[in-house]
Amino acid sequence: VGMNHGEYRWLLIDDMVTIFNKHREEFFIPSEWICVDESISRWYGLGGGWINIGLPMYIAIDRKPENGCEIQNAACSKSGVMLRLLVVKG
């Protein structure tokens, strides 16, 4: 059947996330303190019914100041360096 348009749009960033995660794993040694959190990459879109153009999944969470794409992440608490990313796709 093939993939839908949203799945195709996620493919445009999948390699970047994979390369980022591999690079950090290979070249950075974190401290023993790791902070796991979620972030929102802000997205305003075109508004109205067009909000999802370019963004396969739009997140609006009351406790977050911005709406957009949710990213789960892990960072070294001592250096503040981001270690891993996981884009929430649905």
Side-chain angles (χ1 to χ4, degrees), residues 10-57:
W10 283 128
L11 284 176
L12 299 174
I13 66 160
D14 281 346
D15 285 343
M16 186 271 315
V17 172
T18 300
I19 291 167
F20 175 90
N21 289 337
K22 284 183 179 181
H23 179 81
R24 290 301 166 98
E25 184 177 332
E26 186 175 338
F27 294 105
F28 184 78
I29 300 171
S31 72
E32 67 277 8
W33 298 100
I34 306 296
C35 176
V36 178
D37 200 0
E38 61 189 21
S39 301
I40 298 289
S41 179
R42 182 178 58 190
W43 174 257
Y44 291 124
L46 300 174
W50 300 97
I51 195 70
N52 285 325
I53 289 181
L55 187 65
M57 183 171 173

